[in-house]
Amino acid sequence: MPHNIDLHAVTGPGGGAASSFTAPGHESQFTFKAINPGLYVYHCATAPVGMHVANGMYGLILVEPKDGMPKVDKEYYVMQGDFYTAGKYGEEGCRGESKAGQIL
């Protein structure tokens, strides 16, 4: 299955998804200029996106201001992921993935 990366820090259509599209067994490379400081999410943007995100194909990218950030003792970047399972709350046994398979 091919993959790519949608960097929300990249300005333009798909955040680099078209430029980073990579077929199995191949490699891709692209560059971009980070112009908007902030903390952004990135994720695989190949269909089915929800399945790729549910399997951990996402993360964070920090774009620091040109003059840097104030010095601190420690930095933390926290991102939460959820799994939605089939079955009713409290039901015992092994659970499969929810049929909805979408990010809410």
Side-chain angles (χ1 to χ4, degrees):
M1 172 177 277
H3 292 282
N4 63 5
I5 187 169
D6 175 354
L7 295 145
H8 291 205
V10 172
T11 302
S19 298
S20 63
F21 186 83
T22 307
H26 292 84
E27 295 180 11
S28 296
Q29 175 176 308
F30 75 104
T31 59
F32 67 94
K33 185 175 182 179
I35 57 175
N36 297 308
L39 186 61
Y40 299 92
V41 66
Y42 66 84
H43 58 87
C44 184
T46 301
V49 175
M51 182 183 79
H52 289 176
V53 171
N55 282 285
M57 296 180 201
Y58 64 91
L60 297 173
I61 178 174
L62 174 64
V63 178
E64 293 192 14
K66 185 177 179 180
D67 297 326
M69 294 173 50
K71 298 291 181 196
V72 295
D73 292 336
K74 296 181 183 192
E75 293 183 17
Y76 297 94
Y77 307 90
V78 179
M79 185 166 196
Q80 177 180 331
D82 298 308
F83 289 96
Y84 296 91
T85 57
K88 295 181 182 179
Y89 177 76
E91 186 178 337
E92 293 186 18
C94 183
R95 301 286 186 92
E97 185 179 328
S98 170
K99 297 284 187 223
Q102 62 186 9
I103 302 169
L104 304 176

